[in-house]
Amino acid sequence: MKTSIIPIFIPHIGCLHRCVFCNQWRITGHHGIPSAEDVTSLIQDYTKHVQEKRHWEVAFYGGSFTAIPEEMQERLLKPAHQALLNGTIHGIRCSTRPDCITSPILDRLRFYGMSIVELGVQSMDDTVLQFSKRGHTAEQVLEATQLLKKCGFTVGHQLMPGLPGEDWHSLRETTLKICELKPDIARIYPVAVIENTELAAMYRQGAYIPLSIHEGVCRAAYMKQAFIEHGISCIRTGLQATKDLDDDTQVLAGAYAPAMGEMVDTKRYQMQLFKLLDKLSGESVVISYHRSDTSRVIGYHNVTRKRAACKYKQHIRWCEKKNIQPGNVIVQTILRTYRLDMNANQVYEV
């Protein structure tokens, strides 16, 4: 059954700090504080004309939900809880800070039917967190994750490769620590420099060098591949495109692209495929895959097929086949057949 999100945006509400990268009004395209009536109305608007069965979830995004006043939390949660009880929706989730998770807070969330909590982790490097003015530590991420799991919540981690002070060593360490904590889900948002943020001022002053789109794709692909291999579902890569984010006067630099998710999957598949093709020099090759994997295998805008044609001298044929399991790619030469399990990053001779 398809899962559909009913987003309730609370930009900057409850935030204890102003992070150097953050302008939630630009990122979400929303302003102001929603009322209980707004929540009820949004649930009705999203669900009333949909005929097929869906798994509906109300999601409180954009601020630090568990840090807003208790009375406001309850005011927003009550209409969502009522919709949950009457079967209009099937789940409630929120995003918040790692240092705003306690047992009493989680008791309140459970009382109102919430089951998924996403933490704005961003990095597991305390130096990067400090430079970004996050106001929490990596240790608090660990503690919050453990408490959420103990209380039976589905746990999400949101990461931001490319923050000030991060290098590849830092990124690898963050990735390793997240894999050890093993949240249920993850989102990866390579850093974009957004107007009216401290990061924008740092960029103009030359104090911050942003990632290029290519660098953002490479770092996000590394993280996503590692998460998938450790059983962590990566449910989003890159910021959701909005009118504001597509305005180059608002996104000044950095790794923002509307098709970031497709570009990251292209990179993941291409690296694994080329690693095998490098060993098959001179042999004609047939590359087969399930139709659902076509864009990942041949690449966003056909980039992998084009690069393969330039990189390798042998003839390469690309084929969709129904009998191949999604996530697997079959590479055949005259003498050998290989199966690439893209999610496990493994090659098997068959």
Side-chain angles (χ1 to χ4, degrees):
M1 187 184 300
K2 180 180 179 181
T3 295
S4 295
I5 299 296
I6 304 170
I8 312 293
F9 290 103
I10 53 168
H12 291 299
I13 302 172
C15 293
L16 306 178
H17 303 267
R18 185 65 181 269
C19 307
V20 298
F21 53 80
C22 193
N23 185 335
Q24 286 289 339
W25 296 300
R26 294 294 183 195
I27 292 171
T28 66
H30 289 74
H31 298 258
I33 303 173
S35 65
E37 291 73 23
D38 291 331
V39 175
T40 299
S41 178
L42 279 167
I43 293 171
Q44 291 175 346
D45 289 346
Y46 270 82
T47 61
K48 64 183 177 182
H49 294 307
V50 178
Q51 300 299 319
E52 73 272 14
K53 288 186 178 181
R54 293 190 188 182
H55 179 90
W56 290 100
E57 291 184 3
V58 164
F60 294 98
Y61 286 151
S64 298
F65 188 82
T66 61
I68 66 179
E70 293 179 18
E71 182 274 330
M72 185 183 294
Q73 287 184 48
E74 293 181 351
R75 188 168 73 244
L76 294 171
L77 283 168
K78 284 178 180 177
H81 186 224
Q82 185 57 51
L84 184 66
L85 292 176
N86 65 31
T88 304
I89 66 170
H90 310 95
I92 305 172
R93 65 169 67 196
C94 76
S95 59
T96 192
R97 296 173 53 86
D99 54 347
C100 295
I101 296 292
T102 64
S103 293
I105 286 172
L106 298 185
D107 288 341
R108 183 185 314 114
L109 299 184
R110 280 191 300 188
F111 178 81
Y112 285 103
M114 188 173 291
S115 58
I116 304 173
V117 176
E118 297 186 40
L119 300 175
V121 174
Q122 321 313 359
S123 173
M124 290 296 284
D125 183 330
D126 282 333
T127 300
V128 172
L129 294 173
Q130 187 174 12
F131 283 162
S132 301
K133 297 187 177 180
R134 283 293 296 163
H136 67 79
T137 65
E139 180 66 22
Q140 287 171 309
V141 174
L142 184 151
E143 293 169 354
T145 301
Q146 290 177 337
L147 184 55
L148 283 162
K149 287 187 173 186
K150 180 181 177 181
C151 293
F153 285 85
T154 296
V155 184
H157 282 180
Q158 299 169 3
L159 289 308
M160 293 189 70
L163 288 170
E166 181 191 85
D167 55 19
W168 265 100
H169 174 75
S170 170
L171 180 84
R172 291 189 184 99
E173 288 298 305
T174 286
T175 304
L176 175 62
K177 290 175 181 178
I178 297 300
C179 290
E180 290 172 348
L181 284 175
K182 203 167 184 179
D184 301 284
I185 56 178
R187 300 175 191 263
I188 304 171
Y189 298 113
V191 176
V193 181
I194 298 173
E195 185 62 284
N196 297 318
T197 62
E198 188 172 342
L199 197 63
M202 293 167 63
Y203 166 64
R204 287 191 171 103
Q205 294 162 6
Y208 170 71
I209 300 175
L211 298 180
S212 66
I213 291 175
H214 173 72
E215 290 168 331
V217 167
C218 290
R219 294 194 188 193
Y222 175 84
M223 298 185 90
K224 182 172 182 177
Q225 185 65 41
F227 294 163
I228 291 172
E229 289 175 24
H230 284 80
I232 302 167
S233 176
C234 195
I235 61 175
R236 177 136 199 107
T237 312
L239 293 169
Q240 178 72 43
T242 67
K243 183 178 180 181
D244 283 329
L245 290 179
D246 288 336
D247 181 349
D248 59 12
T249 67
Q250 302 304 320
V251 177
L252 307 182
Y256 169 71
M260 178 62 70
E262 293 178 69
M263 296 162 75
V264 165
D265 280 337
T266 289
K267 185 67 175 178
R268 289 196 306 115
Y269 274 53
Q270 184 184 109
M271 289 175 66
Q272 295 178 63
L273 185 57
F274 283 8
K275 186 177 180 180
L276 176 59
L277 292 179
D278 286 343
K279 300 175 182 179
L280 305 178
S281 178
E283 300 182 62
S284 295
V285 173
V286 178
I287 299 172
S288 305
Y289 41 87
H290 191 272
R291 183 177 183 180
S292 63
D293 278 327
T294 297
S295 63
R296 299 181 184 94
V297 176
I298 68 172
Y300 177 65
H301 284 177
N302 219 14
V303 65
T304 298
R305 186 153 60 181
K306 291 175 182 177
R307 287 183 180 172
C310 295
K311 182 177 174 67
Y312 302 104
K313 295 180 180 179
Q314 68 264 44
H315 175 70
I316 300 175
R317 188 156 61 93
W318 307 75
C319 303
E320 290 181 359
K321 289 188 178 179
K322 294 180 180 179
N323 62 342
I324 295 176
Q325 188 75 13
N328 288 265
V329 176
I330 304 299
V331 177
Q332 295 173 288
T333 68
I334 295 173
L335 300 176
R336 296 177 179 85
T337 299
Y338 302 91
R339 178 174 68 86
L340 284 73
D341 184 337
M342 294 302 194
N343 292 331
N345 194 12
Q346 294 289 332
V347 179
Y348 305 93
E349 189 168 350
V350 294

